Amino acid sequence: MSTPYPFTAIVGQDDLRLGLLLNAVSPAVGGVLVRGEKGTAKSTAVRALAALMPEVAVVSGCRFSCDPVVPDPACPDGPHEAAAGVSRPARTVELPVGASEDRLVGALDIERALSEGVKAFEPGLLADAHRGILYVDEVNLLHDHLVDLLLDAAAMGASYVEREGVSVRHAARFLLVGTMNPEEGELRPQLLDRFGLTVEVAASRDTDQRVEVVRRRLAYDDDPAGFAGRWAQEEAALRERIAAARVLLPRVVLGDAVLRQIAATCAAFEVDGMRADIVMARTATALAAWAGRDEVTAEDVRQAALLALPHRRRRNPFDAPGLDEDKLDDTLRDAAGDEAGNGDDGDGDEPDPDGPGGGGGGVPPQDSGPDTPERGGDAGPEQGGDAPGPGRPSPSGGEQQPVRASEPFRTKMLSVPGLGEGAAGRRSRARTEHGRTTGARRPEGTLTKLHLAATVQAAAPHQRARGRSGRGLVVRRDDLRQATREGREGNLVLFVVDASGSMAARQRMSAVKGAVMSLLLDAYQRRDKVGLVTFRGKEAEVVLPPTSSVDAAAARLESLPTGGRTPLAAGLLRAHDVLRVERLRDPSRRPLLVVVTDGRATGGPDPVALAARAGRLHAAEGTASVVVDCESGIVRLGLAAQLARDLGGTAVTLDELRADSIAGLVKDVQAAGRAA
């Protein structure tokens, strides 16, 4: 077994280490989500924590880690008699991003079922993680069906398995630790709320600290055991401090004044539900125990808020994470003043918590929008382009300042027709490893999902000829049947946005950006990859290559300037290049092209015909497409509808895009050649 990197040897990352240690002191805090850029010791710190966790006593031979003092009466390996049990280190179980449902929750032991005729349950990772740590690296990339199973287990403290004739319930209480890089996409709010704490990590910009990180890492790589030995004394001291804090924890007093501060803070920041209040109370108690105190203070509450609230305020991927620390301090001060009955602003006996910047973990919101003076304001005319802004000038000299997007709305679902085989998601129909079983077939290559009933049905007629004796079923390879399942896949949604002068009226562009923001939010919820191509002036630009980070696309869109001519053909051709490369990288992920334009094309010889030819190029390759028609005014030319016909897709207006529009029901975009 390899020697883990010592926890005490990690340089900096104070919030990360504190969040993990608080969970070691009080597992009831509910785990921690570590967000940050790559290469910031996220995984190293989590794996190092396991060596600091106290040992657990388990029933000997129990696959579900029952406590010998209070064994689970419903344990599948039970019933157990109360006994001394055996001690073992707390487990750190890693859940791979590509794990199967069977591996996570367990399943019928197929080998014993077929060979012995016995219905036996084979435990999964949730059983292994009971009373230990369940670690998910890149948790934001975890498939939705696995996320749902984790949510259920984390909420109930138990795993329920009802499948293939097996009905099992077993305890599954674990410390959930996840790491993620926000650049690769965000987590669903439901899963975010299951993490007790969140910490943001980033590489230090201090030269001396970076040098020390490299020095220690090189020393560890050269001699892991020797390096760990040099830190053994510090590790032992930290382990003893955790044990002492655990002993002190039940004696820590959480007074009514502190509870009022916690409730007031959660109410002031408008977090959903009551889980935030409970987590804050547990975190503040753990902070007091960690500091060796038997009473929670206002500073404990403040630090708990900075760890427990930022991720609970983020309701969609466009919300900025973090807390306004000035508001937090005012709320705590006011709550303390109310409890004291002074009716003042907190100038009484209650000490003022540390001012802004103390405690770490909070990020003030960004108040400056694209229309504020800091970003250039609304200088320049509303239309035309006679006064270019401070951004880079457009080739035609008519650039407008970026405008804010209008309020996002719920959109109709746009889906790719047919049956795909892409990554699991929530948009288009697909053959998947997960979902409802629709039938069985002979396996082509390796068997990945056995259809038990079909396999037994295929083998049953041949049992006498095969000389069957006893309970077991004689099964040959030709009898095996692969289950065919249908679910939903995520797609590559490539946005091609017209940013030319014909779209530059501020009110109109605000509505257009609001529509694209709404589609981006829909893509986030349906687990799509997204990309963004814009065209204006004389050229098209890939503003954002295909990525899972929907919030990155939203940020690019917000800062998008407008103005100049309308090189529609260039935008379509650039999109064609992007899709060609993506088909090579990920051939199973089907694309959905969303063109946001009024259909006008200017610049160069015969721009309209050139755009039509570019559209037919997409149609010839069968790319599913939809044109969001942004044309406004009394006189309409219908150019966007013609573009949709050239693309072999469909056109919707901005009003029709809304889910509550009376213009129609769900629209399936049409791929080229579908009629054939």
Side-chain angles (χ1 to χ4, degrees):
M1 182 177 179
S2 60
T3 303
Y5 192 91
F7 191 88
T8 50
I10 296 172
V11 179
Q13 306 297 8
D14 294 338
D15 286 346
L16 169 59
R17 291 187 293 163
L18 179 61
L20 292 172
L21 289 170
L22 291 177
N23 276 276
V25 170
S26 175
V29 167
V32 60
L33 174 64
V34 186
R35 296 164 45 93
E37 58 196 31
K38 53 187 176 293
T40 49
K42 300 188 298 293
S43 300
T44 299
V46 175
R47 294 188 176 102
L49 177 68
L52 302 175
M53 298 290 286
E55 291 190 341
V56 295
V58 298
V59 173
S60 179
C62 178
R63 298 174 297 167
F64 301 88
S65 301
C66 279
D67 187 339
V69 179
V70 189
D72 182 3
C75 176
D77 283 356
H80 303 298
E81 297 293 334
V86 296
S87 294
R88 62 161 175 78
R91 290 174 180 157
T92 296
V93 177
E94 294 195 30
L95 173 60
V97 170
S100 66
E101 183 178 337
D102 291 349
R103 187 71 188 97
L104 178 62
V105 301
L108 176 69
D109 189 331
I110 298 296
E111 182 178 350
R112 293 190 63 190
L114 295 179
S115 63
E116 303 175 25
V118 175
K119 279 201 306 185
F121 179 68
E122 185 176 3
L125 294 176
L126 289 180
D128 293 341
H130 179 47
R131 304 177 66 202
I133 300 172
L134 181 61
Y135 171 46
V136 190
D137 194 14
E138 305 292 353
V139 63
N140 52 324
L141 303 182
L142 198 64
H143 287 175
D144 267 4
H145 68 286
L146 297 182
V147 170
D148 293 335
L149 293 170
L150 274 181
L151 289 176
D152 291 341
M156 298 183 292
S159 175
Y160 292 83
V161 184
E162 299 282 350
R163 52 188 303 179
E164 297 167 342
V166 173
S167 179
V168 172
R169 173 254 176 224
H170 65 82
R173 292 183 295 276
F174 46 81
L175 173 61
L176 182 61
V177 180
T179 57
M180 60 174 284
N181 183 350
E183 294 177 356
E184 297 173 338
E186 282 294 340
L187 275 176
R188 291 163 50 191
Q190 296 95 326
L191 185 56
L192 275 174
D193 191 47
R194 295 299 179 190
F195 287 98
L197 311 178
T198 184
V199 294
E200 300 277 345
V201 296
S204 172
R205 299 299 182 255
D206 180 75
T207 302
D208 292 338
Q209 196 172 83
R210 294 175 74 98
V211 168
E212 185 61 22
V213 169
V214 175
R215 182 182 291 119
R216 293 186 185 183
R217 185 68 208 193
L218 293 178
Y220 170 77
D221 291 341
D222 289 341
D223 182 11
F227 182 83
R230 291 194 291 275
W231 290 90
Q233 186 173 351
E234 288 83 352
E235 291 281 289
L238 188 58
R239 194 178 296 110
E240 290 175 3
R241 184 177 177 186
I242 292 173
R246 282 193 168 195
V247 172
L248 178 60
L249 186 67
R251 303 199 301 269
V252 175
V253 177
L254 189 69
D256 288 343
V258 170
L259 282 173
R260 182 169 293 277
Q261 286 183 314
I262 291 172
T265 301
C266 292
F269 285 99
E270 300 179 348
V271 295
D272 294 334
M274 295 297 298
R275 184 173 284 114
D277 303 61
I278 297 170
V279 170
M280 273 190 65
R282 289 171 174 166
T283 305
T285 304
L287 280 162
W290 178 247
R293 289 183 272 102
D294 60 3
E295 188 171 356
V296 177
T297 67
E299 180 56 29
D300 294 330
V301 176
R302 185 179 192 277
Q303 182 66 61
L306 293 173
L307 292 170
L309 295 188
H311 61 300
R312 291 185 166 86
R313 299 190 62 244
R314 187 165 191 171
R315 293 178 173 83
N316 66 62
F318 311 142
D319 292 339
L323 293 181
D324 183 340
E325 295 191 36
D326 290 336
K327 180 179 178 180
L328 174 60
D329 291 333
D330 291 342
T331 301
L332 293 173
R333 188 182 303 114
D334 292 344
D338 292 343
E339 179 66 19
N342 296 329
D344 57 15
D345 292 329
D347 295 325
D349 296 332
E350 178 68 28
D352 186 12
D354 289 348
V363 181
Q366 303 300 313
D367 294 323
S368 297
D371 291 330
T372 57
E374 291 86 350
R375 301 194 185 184
D378 286 334
E382 294 292 317
Q383 302 185 43
D386 297 328
R392 78 174 187 271
S394 111
S396 62
E399 181 174 294
Q400 294 281 326
Q401 288 295 306
V403 299
R404 284 186 181 275
S406 62
E407 191 68 22
F409 52 84
R410 190 166 64 90
T411 67
K412 285 187 172 67
M413 189 179 80
L414 306 172
S415 62
V416 178
L419 201 61
E421 296 181 345
R426 298 194 168 196
R427 185 173 295 278
S428 305
R429 293 175 55 219
R431 299 183 190 91
T432 62
E433 288 294 315
H434 316 279
R436 64 186 181 90
T437 301
T438 58
R441 59 178 174 83
R442 291 181 181 273
E444 299 173 2
T446 304
L447 178 70
T448 56
K449 201 72 176 179
L450 179 72
H451 193 297
L452 183 59
T455 298
V456 172
Q457 187 176 12
H462 309 291
Q463 295 307 293
R464 179 176 297 178
R466 294 173 183 174
R468 174 189 171 185
S469 62
R471 300 178 61 186
L473 192 68
V474 181
V475 179
R476 304 270 174 83
R477 180 171 179 77
D478 289 344
D479 301 327
L480 299 178
R481 295 295 182 268
Q482 172 86 24
T484 57
R485 297 189 172 189
E486 183 176 316
R488 293 278 172 177
E489 67 177 359
N491 298 111
L492 166 59
V493 182
L494 182 62
F495 293 92
V496 182
V497 180
D498 185 348
S500 65
S502 66
M503 305 278 287
R506 299 189 74 80
Q507 184 176 3
R508 184 180 179 193
M509 196 62 196
S510 177
V512 169
K513 284 188 175 183
V516 179
M517 285 286 193
S518 303
L519 290 167
L520 283 171
L521 181 58
D522 182 67
Y524 160 74
Q525 294 167 339
R526 301 190 187 281
R527 313 302 286 174
D528 295 317
K529 289 180 69 175
V530 297
L532 180 61
V533 174
T534 63
F535 57 94
R536 54 187 288 273
K538 295 182 179 179
E539 60 184 17
E541 178 184 3
V542 181
V543 177
L544 183 71
T547 175
S548 297
S549 180
V550 176
D551 50 343
R556 301 290 202 285
L557 185 71
E558 277 284 7
S559 60
L560 180 67
T562 57
R565 294 179 177 177
T566 312
L568 177 57
L572 295 174
L573 291 174
R574 182 57 62 91
H576 180 269
D577 291 341
V578 172
L579 294 180
R580 177 177 54 81
V581 172
E582 287 302 308
R583 284 190 181 98
L584 296 175
R585 289 177 176 168
D586 190 358
S588 63
R589 187 180 290 268
R590 297 187 294 166
L592 173 60
L593 184 68
V594 179
V595 185
V596 185
T597 181
D598 57 9
R600 290 183 172 88
T602 60
D606 205 356
V608 175
L610 190 60
R613 288 199 297 272
R616 288 192 289 272
L617 184 62
H618 284 280
E621 295 190 352
T623 303
S625 60
V626 60
V627 177
V628 180
D629 185 357
C630 302
E631 191 173 26
S632 60
I634 299 176
V635 179
R636 295 175 179 263
L637 303 179
L639 297 175
Q642 179 56 51
L643 175 62
R645 288 191 290 272
D646 292 329
L647 286 165
T650 189
V652 295
T653 65
L654 289 174
D655 289 336
E656 291 172 341
L657 193 61
R658 294 178 177 271
D660 54 0
S661 169
I662 63 173
L665 300 176
V666 174
K667 288 180 176 287
D668 279 349
V669 296
Q670 300 174 355
R674 186 183 180 192

